Amino acid sequence: MEYSQHFSLQHLTTFKTPGFASHFFSFKNEEELTSIVQRSDFERISNHYKDILVLGKGSNLLLLGDLNGVVLKNEIDGLKIIDESTDDIFIEVGAGMDWHHLVLHAIENGWAGIENLALIPGTVGAAPVQNIGAYGIELKDVFHSLRCWHFEENKWYQLGLDDCQFGYRDSIFKRGWKNKTVITSVQFKLSKNAILNTEYGAITSELEKMGVLNPTILEVAKVVMNIRNSKIPNPDVVPNAGSFFKNPTITDIQYEYLKIEYPEMPFYKLPDGYKIPAGWLLEKANGRGYSEGRVGCYEKQALILINTGGATGKDILTFSKKLQQSVREKFGVELEREVNVAGNYK
Ligand code: EPU
């Protein structure tokens, strides 16, 4: 366990914006976490549990400035097999493990289910918080349960699929239980018979190009990695937090109306309405690679905001509000933020 006061968080988020935490702890197992939350001053320094930020890799977080409270950095690692049948394998994984390492481990062992989620930056514990998703698969599709500590209730919970209330980039941890818990481990149900999901357009066409008819788990993962590498910047090189906004859902009427003016507008049909790629709306509203000062939209994918050098959280937030305004004015569509925001600016 580590403990520091006035601790810089700048290099602990992938946006690399500046900010200090009044109290910073890291923990490697549940016992260490317990000793932190049972400190006699924990309730006071966390402002009665109101100012707690649980940090994994900080890959979906916009830090606005200093955080007057407690930061808990989850470094719980480890993976164990819980149960196994002819078809399935149940594994329990430490919430601090790097997500992509888990994907690679699963591929090496021939366990299918998360290969489409290769290269998503972040930790295993952050994956259920926003129900990570890519190329036709979401975390909820392979999720079994998770264990978490609830600060206010002072007790452990084991939550199943329904308890987590998963939605599109959404869960109970972004709503009612926001900043109230720390996830310590996640159980997954993976498949020993490779049932692969290659329906997503970009994967299908890439496999066709490669002349692969019956792909292996590894081949699907490679295709996903190629696609991601071609349009999503590596946060170690270009600071970013992936998609900054969610793809908005519009009504059938709004869609029919916009389609007249923009017949080329991409869409995903939903049972109720249409989902429109926010990246397309942003590119149309502002042009490709639009930037202002130290913040910009990534040239190959406008939905990814990048820190072009020395940006503060406030710079990025202000830029993002201008983007929302531009899409509102041009299309009458509201963009909702996908990344989490923490800290304060002056
Ligand atoms: N598009 C543009 N211009 C842009 C960006 C996109 O015209 O600047 C168009 C593309 O040509 C394509 C469509 O918009 O026709 C969709 O783009 P893309 O396939 O890149 O997917 P997305 O809907 O923008 C979502 C997720 C990504 C995920 C991909 C692949 C959200 C908010 N984002 O992006 O997730 O990797 O699908 O499944 O749902 C993330 O959550 O951080 C993330 C990167």
Side-chain angles (χ1 to χ4, degrees), residues 59-60 116 120-121 130 132-137 168-169 200 202 227-228 231-232 241-247 266-268 275-284 288 298-304 338-339:
S59 55
N60 197 46
N116 294 32
I120 294 186
Q130 61 151 0
I132 58 169
Y135 309 107
I137 295 282
Y168 165 57
R169 296 297 190 277
Y200 196 88
I227 302 170
R228 286 189 78 93
K231 55 175 162 183
I232 300 180
S243 299
F244 194 90
F245 301 105
K246 293 183 186 182
N247 285 335
F267 62 88
Y268 317 99
K275 196 181 267 190
I276 308 297
W280 183 87
L281 295 168
L282 288 165
E283 190 181 314
K284 276 276 167 235
R288 192 173 262 253
Y298 189 60
E299 197 158 350
K300 295 178 196 160
Q301 169 51 287
L303 184 51
I304 298 179
E338 198 234 88
V339 300

Side-chain angles (χ1 to χ4, degrees), residues 52 172-181 337 340-341:
I52 303 177
I172 187 171
F173 305 104
K174 281 187 116 175
R175 286 182 274 122
W177 280 23
K178 190 171 175 166
N179 297 335
K180 290 194 190 313
T181 61
R337 210 166 45 218
N340 296 311
V341 166

